[in-house]
Protein backbone atom coordinates (compact mmCIF):
# COMPACT_ATOMS: atom_id res chain seq x y z
CA UNK A 1 0.00 0.00 0.00
CA UNK A 2 1.36 3.40 -0.91
CA UNK A 3 0.94 6.60 1.09
CA UNK A 4 -1.59 8.18 -1.30
CA UNK A 5 -3.99 5.23 -1.17
CA UNK A 6 -3.61 5.11 2.63
CA UNK A 7 -4.39 8.83 2.83
CA UNK A 8 -7.45 8.43 0.57
CA UNK A 9 -8.69 5.46 2.61
CA UNK A 10 -8.33 7.33 5.91
CA UNK A 11 -10.01 10.43 4.51
CA UNK A 12 -12.94 8.24 3.44
CA UNK A 13 -13.18 6.79 6.96
CA UNK A 14 -13.17 10.31 8.44
CA UNK A 15 -15.94 11.39 6.04
CA UNK A 16 -18.03 8.40 7.15
CA UNK A 17 -17.52 9.41 10.78
CA UNK A 18 -18.70 12.93 9.99
CA UNK A 19 -21.75 11.56 8.12
CA UNK A 20 -22.60 9.49 11.17
CA UNK A 21 -22.23 12.59 13.36
CA UNK A 22 -24.61 14.49 11.04
CA UNK A 23 -27.18 11.72 11.50
CA UNK A 24 -26.75 11.89 15.27
CA UNK A 25 -27.33 15.66 15.18
CA UNK A 26 -30.39 15.29 12.96
CA UNK A 27 -32.01 13.03 15.53
CA UNK A 28 -31.65 15.67 18.26
CA UNK A 29 -34.74 17.80 18.22
CA UNK A 30 -34.83 21.54 18.31
CA UNK A 31 -37.86 23.71 18.97
CA UNK A 32 -39.01 23.38 15.34
CA UNK A 33 -40.62 20.41 13.62
CA UNK A 34 -38.28 18.56 11.29
CA UNK A 35 -38.88 15.28 9.51
CA UNK A 36 -35.25 14.32 10.16
CA UNK A 37 -36.24 13.68 13.79
CA UNK A 38 -37.71 10.37 12.64
CA UNK A 39 -34.68 9.25 10.59
CA UNK A 40 -33.47 6.89 13.31
CA UNK A 41 -36.90 5.51 14.21
CA UNK A 42 -37.61 2.10 12.68
CA UNK A 43 -40.86 0.16 12.56
CA UNK A 44 -41.46 -3.57 12.01
CA UNK A 45 -42.68 -3.97 8.43
CA UNK A 46 -43.35 -7.61 7.52
CA UNK A 47 -40.75 -8.68 10.08
CA UNK A 48 -38.05 -6.29 8.88
CA UNK A 49 -37.05 -3.13 10.78
CA UNK A 50 -37.75 -0.33 8.29
CA UNK A 51 -37.36 3.46 8.62
CA UNK A 52 -40.71 5.23 9.03
CA UNK A 53 -40.07 7.30 5.89
CA UNK A 54 -40.15 4.06 3.85
CA UNK A 55 -43.63 3.04 5.04
CA UNK A 56 -45.35 6.43 5.31
CA UNK A 57 -45.48 9.97 4.02
CA UNK A 58 -43.80 12.18 6.64
CA UNK A 59 -44.19 15.95 6.46
CA UNK A 60 -43.95 19.07 8.62
CA UNK A 61 -46.86 21.29 7.53
CA UNK A 62 -46.46 23.67 10.48
CA UNK A 63 -43.47 24.80 12.58
CA UNK A 64 -44.55 22.65 15.54
CA UNK A 65 -46.26 19.70 13.82
CA UNK A 66 -45.14 16.55 12.01
CA UNK A 67 -47.72 14.43 10.22
CA UNK A 68 -47.26 10.77 9.32
CA UNK A 69 -49.65 9.17 6.83
CA UNK A 70 -48.86 5.46 6.40
CA UNK A 71 -49.34 3.89 2.99
CA UNK A 72 -51.08 0.95 4.66
CA UNK A 73 -53.63 1.61 7.43
CA UNK A 74 -52.45 -1.42 9.43
CA UNK A 75 -49.10 0.38 9.97
CA UNK A 76 -50.63 3.11 12.20
CA UNK A 77 -50.26 1.15 15.46
CA UNK A 78 -46.68 -0.10 14.82
CA UNK A 79 -45.55 3.42 13.84
CA UNK A 80 -47.17 4.86 16.96
CA UNK A 81 -45.46 2.20 19.10
CA UNK A 82 -42.06 2.84 17.49
CA UNK A 83 -42.32 6.59 18.17
CA UNK A 84 -43.28 5.97 21.80
CA UNK A 85 -40.31 3.58 22.23
CA UNK A 86 -37.84 6.07 20.70
CA UNK A 87 -36.06 8.55 22.96
CA UNK A 88 -37.63 11.54 21.21
CA UNK A 89 -40.04 12.25 24.05
CA UNK A 90 -42.99 12.85 21.70
CA UNK A 91 -46.57 11.65 22.12
CA UNK A 92 -48.18 10.59 18.85
CA UNK A 93 -51.87 11.42 18.25
CA UNK A 94 -53.51 8.74 16.10
CA UNK A 95 -56.81 9.73 14.49
CA UNK A 96 -57.31 6.52 12.49
CA UNK A 97 -55.86 7.82 9.21
CA UNK A 98 -52.72 9.72 10.25
CA UNK A 99 -50.44 10.31 13.18
CA UNK A 100 -49.76 13.84 14.37
CA UNK A 101 -46.67 14.67 16.39
CA UNK A 102 -46.89 18.00 18.14
CA UNK A 103 -43.47 19.38 18.95
CA UNK A 104 -43.72 21.06 22.35
CA UNK A 105 -41.84 24.23 23.21
CA UNK A 106 -38.54 23.25 24.83
CA UNK A 107 -37.93 24.29 28.41
CA UNK A 108 -34.62 25.91 29.37
CA UNK A 109 -33.61 22.75 31.25
CA UNK A 110 -34.42 20.54 28.24
CA UNK A 111 -32.43 22.87 25.97
CA UNK A 112 -29.40 22.49 28.25
CA UNK A 113 -29.80 18.69 28.26
CA UNK A 114 -29.99 18.66 24.47
CA UNK A 115 -26.95 20.92 24.29
CA UNK A 116 -25.04 18.44 26.47
CA UNK A 117 -26.17 15.65 24.14
CA UNK A 118 -24.84 17.61 21.15
CA UNK A 119 -21.51 18.06 22.96
CA UNK A 120 -21.38 14.35 23.77
CA UNK A 121 -21.97 13.36 20.13
CA UNK A 122 -19.37 15.90 18.98
CA UNK A 123 -16.76 14.53 21.39
CA UNK A 124 -17.51 10.95 20.24
CA UNK A 125 -17.02 12.05 16.63
CA UNK A 126 -13.73 13.77 17.51
CA UNK A 127 -12.52 10.59 19.23
CA UNK A 128 -13.36 8.54 16.14
CA UNK A 129 -11.42 11.00 13.95
CA UNK A 130 -8.42 10.86 16.31
CA UNK A 131 -8.53 7.04 16.30
CA UNK A 132 -8.46 7.08 12.51
CA UNK A 133 -5.45 9.41 12.68
CA UNK A 134 -3.72 7.03 15.09
CA UNK A 135 -4.40 4.05 12.78
CA UNK A 136 -3.05 5.98 9.80
CA UNK A 137 0.10 7.01 11.66
CA UNK A 138 0.69 3.39 12.74
CA UNK A 139 0.33 2.24 9.14
CA UNK A 140 2.78 4.93 8.00
CA UNK A 141 5.30 3.87 10.67
CA UNK A 142 4.97 0.23 9.57
CA UNK A 143 5.70 1.25 5.97
CA UNK A 144 8.75 3.16 7.19
CA UNK A 145 9.90 0.21 9.30
CA UNK A 146 9.64 -2.13 6.29
CA UNK A 147 11.66 0.46 4.38
CA UNK A 148 8.84 0.91 1.81
CA UNK A 149 9.04 4.67 2.39
CA UNK A 150 11.77 7.03 3.57
CA UNK A 151 11.82 8.79 6.93
CA UNK A 152 11.11 12.13 5.20
CA UNK A 153 8.09 10.63 3.38
CA UNK A 154 6.88 9.23 6.69
CA UNK A 155 7.13 12.63 8.42
CA UNK A 156 5.38 14.36 5.51
CA UNK A 157 2.59 11.76 5.46
CA UNK A 158 2.06 12.12 9.21
CA UNK A 159 1.94 15.90 8.83
CA UNK A 160 -0.67 15.56 6.06
CA UNK A 161 -2.75 13.17 8.19
CA UNK A 162 -2.59 15.70 11.05
CA UNK A 163 -3.73 18.51 8.74
CA UNK A 164 -6.64 16.35 7.55
CA UNK A 165 -7.51 15.51 11.17
CA UNK A 166 -7.49 19.20 12.15
CA UNK A 167 -9.71 20.04 9.17
CA UNK A 168 -12.26 17.32 10.05
CA UNK A 169 -12.33 18.24 13.74
CA UNK A 170 -12.91 21.88 12.77
CA UNK A 171 -15.82 20.70 10.59
CA UNK A 172 -17.28 18.79 13.57
CA UNK A 173 -16.89 21.84 15.82
CA UNK A 174 -18.68 24.06 13.29
CA UNK A 175 -21.59 21.61 13.00
CA UNK A 176 -21.75 21.34 16.80
CA UNK A 177 -21.85 25.13 17.22
CA UNK A 178 -24.60 25.44 14.60
CA UNK A 179 -26.71 22.71 16.24
CA UNK A 180 -26.20 24.18 19.73
CA UNK A 181 -27.39 27.53 18.42
CA UNK A 182 -30.52 25.86 16.97
CA UNK A 183 -31.20 24.03 20.23
CA UNK A 184 -30.77 27.10 22.44
CA UNK A 185 -32.88 29.31 20.14
CA UNK A 186 -36.27 30.15 21.69
Amino acid sequence: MDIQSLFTQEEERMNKAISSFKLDLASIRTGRASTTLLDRVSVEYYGIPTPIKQVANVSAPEPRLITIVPWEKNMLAPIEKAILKSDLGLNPNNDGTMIRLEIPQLTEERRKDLSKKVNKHAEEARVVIRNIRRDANESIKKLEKKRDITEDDSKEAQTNIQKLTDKKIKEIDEMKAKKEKEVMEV
Side-chain angles (χ1 to χ4, degrees):
M1 176 183 284
D2 68 330
I3 293 176
Q4 189 54 47
S5 61
L6 176 80
F7 188 80
T8 305
Q9 175 187 332
E10 300 307 325
E11 185 174 22
E12 222 172 85
R13 286 179 62 200
M14 287 183 184
N15 287 337
K16 285 180 184 173
I18 287 179
S19 294
S20 175
F21 176 59
K22 280 181 188 173
L23 274 177
D24 288 341
L25 287 185
S27 69
I28 296 174
R29 72 185 192 121
T30 58
R32 298 184 63 78
S34 171
T35 60
T36 57
L37 280 176
L38 300 173
D39 283 353
R40 295 213 166 203
V41 182
S42 293
V43 63
E44 284 287 317
Y45 186 64
Y46 294 106
I48 300 168
T50 310
I52 288 180
K53 288 184 176 181
Q54 292 182 11
V55 297
N57 185 23
V58 180
S59 62
E62 297 174 24
R64 299 215 179 280
L65 181 71
I66 296 175
T67 59
I68 304 164
V69 182
W71 296 317
E72 297 175 22
K73 282 223 193 277
N74 63 338
M75 290 305 296
L76 276 169
I79 290 172
E80 192 174 11
K81 227 179 270 178
I83 292 168
L84 286 170
K85 270 197 243 174
S86 72
D87 64 346
L88 294 174
L90 298 174
N91 288 325
N93 296 328
N94 181 348
D95 69 3
T97 56
M98 74 165 45
I99 295 173
R100 287 183 177 83
L101 293 175
E102 290 187 31
I103 310 297
Q105 185 74 24
L106 294 173
T107 63
E108 189 64 29
E109 186 179 325
R110 184 69 177 136
R111 288 178 199 283
K112 287 177 182 172
D113 287 345
L114 291 173
S115 183
K116 286 178 187 172
K117 198 172 181 183
V118 169
N119 280 323
K120 181 177 155 250
H121 285 301
E123 187 52 40
E124 287 169 359
R126 284 190 213 102
V127 167
V128 169
I129 297 291
R130 289 185 202 116
N131 287 340
I132 293 169
R133 175 192 60 195
R134 184 197 63 222
D135 294 346
N137 284 339
E138 285 174 3
S139 298
I140 291 167
K141 287 174 186 170
K142 283 180 187 172
L143 288 173
E144 182 185 351
K145 204 173 201 176
K146 286 196 267 178
R147 303 223 183 271
D148 289 345
I149 61 173
T150 65
E151 190 177 327
D152 289 344
D153 289 342
S154 171
K155 294 265 188 264
E156 183 183 341
Q158 288 179 42
T159 302
N160 289 339
I161 289 289
Q162 184 60 48
K163 285 179 186 171
L164 177 65
T165 302
D166 294 342
K167 178 181 160 196
K168 297 300 179 182
I169 286 180
K170 184 178 181 220
E171 212 175 299
I172 287 169
D173 290 340
E174 287 169 357
M175 289 190 303
K176 178 191 92 125
K178 183 180 174 201
K179 188 65 175 189
E180 276 184 328
K181 186 178 177 226
E182 282 178 27
V183 166
M184 295 310 281
E185 210 170 77
V186 177

